[in-house]
Amino acid sequence: MKILLTGSSGQVGRCLVEKLNNTIGTEFIALNRNELDITDSISVDKIVTSFQPNVIINAAAHTAVDRAEEEVELSYAINRDGPENLAKAAARIGATILHISTDYVFAGDKDGEYVENDETVPQSVYGKSKLAGEIAVAEACHRHIIIRTAWVFSEHGGNFVKSMLRLAESRDALSIVADQFGGPTYAGDIADALLQISAAIVKEKNVEFGIYHYSGMPHVSWYDFANTIFIEAKEQDVLKKVMAINPITTAVYPTPAKRPVNSKLNSGKINIQFGIVPSNWPLALKNLKHYMG
């Protein structure tokens, strides 16, 4: 198996590199944005033609949701044009592209969990640019797997878990939004899912290309998620006290980009096709000392 990974310095990218380094029989190249600008089609074609991967995993994205409201051109360049370049290159050599997308492609006003064929009505520049990327990838390369995920966290980079632990060191109490719901998703579990799908593709199993949802269970609010983080941190002696948190509404904490109220993704399809189970996010919080710093 030969894998070309883009976005190697992001949360999912770093987890993938760690796992690929310990995967026997796999040759890979992992590139960050300084090593490969995916918006440069010539550079993309050059590396893909040279390396001839079976699978291209695109973990690169412009994920600064609020900044995207002003950085519109940059968002579309990275989230639409870059994936399209990779997909076109994959199609030229008969490779498969695995592309990561987001719950933000939905309006977030559905009752219950979102499934793959639900209507996409993004409410932010980030969501719109990611949806445009999905469409571009699907049109450019038949052999595509698009993974929509949500609420990603890990030991790497910036994310909700690390922010909560950092803020708890300097504050006595926090106010956390309690009326937005979703499935926290550990980046290491996303990496495992991507590698499991890649293996199935290379082994030429009967793979159904298209869109899949993958996120964590159980579904919770941001307030519930924060509460679990702080309880675990106290039990693991990462924090000396359980942080006091106050539930607030979205209206009390306005942001430049509109967040989906409902980010619950149904992961049934990916389980049926690949045997992949939802991310066990509570388990991923059992070693919080690695999230510090």
Side-chain angles (χ1 to χ4, degrees), residues 248-262:
I248 60 171
T249 64
T250 301
V252 175
Y253 188 70
T255 55
K258 184 178 180 181
R259 266 69 173 168
V261 171
N262 175 14

Side-chain angles (χ1 to χ4, degrees), residues 68-262:
E69 293 299 308
E70 295 183 356
E71 298 175 344
V72 179
E73 289 187 8
L74 180 62
S75 296
Y76 276 90
I78 299 173
N79 293 340
R80 178 195 61 196
D81 302 342
E84 181 178 29
N85 291 336
L86 291 166
K88 286 181 176 178
R92 276 193 286 273
I93 65 167
T96 300
I97 182 167
L98 274 56
H99 174 65
I100 302 172
S101 193
T102 174
D103 57 299
Y104 277 71
V105 300
F106 297 115
D109 56 1
K110 179 183 178 180
D111 290 330
E113 300 175 351
Y114 278 98
V115 295
E116 286 79 359
N117 60 358
D118 277 330
E119 182 182 13
T120 50
V121 189
Q123 302 294 299
S124 64
V125 170
Y126 170 67
K128 292 173 183 176
S129 66
K130 290 295 288 182
L131 177 59
E134 288 187 10
I135 295 169
V137 166
E139 290 180 347
C141 183
H142 166 69
R143 297 178 61 87
H144 67 271
I145 299 285
I146 295 168
I147 303 291
R148 291 180 183 145
T149 189
W151 295 23
V152 180
F153 71 94
S154 70
E155 304 89 340
H156 311 297
N159 57 72
F160 186 77
V161 176
K162 296 187 76 173
S163 294
M164 291 299 100
L165 295 174
R166 185 184 68 253
L167 290 170
E169 292 183 312
S170 60
R171 300 191 187 183
D172 295 323
L174 290 172
S175 295
I176 307 294
V177 172
D179 60 354
Q180 295 175 18
F181 298 87
T185 312
Y186 179 53
D189 291 338
I190 299 173
D192 282 334
L194 290 167
L195 292 178
Q196 190 169 331
I197 293 169
S198 298
I201 289 167
V202 172
K203 290 176 183 176
E204 298 186 346
K205 292 187 176 180
N206 186 23
V207 173
E208 179 184 341
F209 297 109
I211 297 172
Y212 290 85
H213 288 176
Y214 180 75
S215 67
M217 289 292 286
H219 292 135
V220 290
S221 69
W222 288 112
Y223 172 83
D224 296 327
F225 188 24
N227 194 46
T228 304
I229 293 166
F230 292 133
I231 290 172
E232 284 291 341
K234 176 62 170 61
E235 290 181 353
Q236 297 172 38
D237 204 30
V238 172
L239 297 177
K240 299 302 180 183
K241 61 180 180 180
V242 176
M243 189 71 177
I245 54 175
N246 306 307
I248 60 171
T249 64
T250 301
V252 175
Y253 188 70
T255 55
K258 184 178 180 181
R259 266 69 173 168
V261 171
N262 175 14

Side-chain angles (χ1 to χ4, degrees), residues 5-10 30-38 40 43 60:
L5 168 65
T6 62
S8 64
S9 61
L31 303 171
N32 61 34
R33 61 185 175 186
N34 294 323
E35 296 164 329
L36 176 63
D37 177 3
I38 63 172
D40 182 345
S43 296

Side-chain angles (χ1 to χ4, degrees), residues 40-63:
D40 182 345
S41 61
I42 295 176
S43 296
V44 168
D45 286 343
K46 184 177 180 181
I47 187 66
V48 171
T49 301
S50 173
F51 184 56
Q52 292 285 310
N54 307 107
V55 177
I56 297 173
I57 300 178
N58 180 38
H62 186 277
T63 58

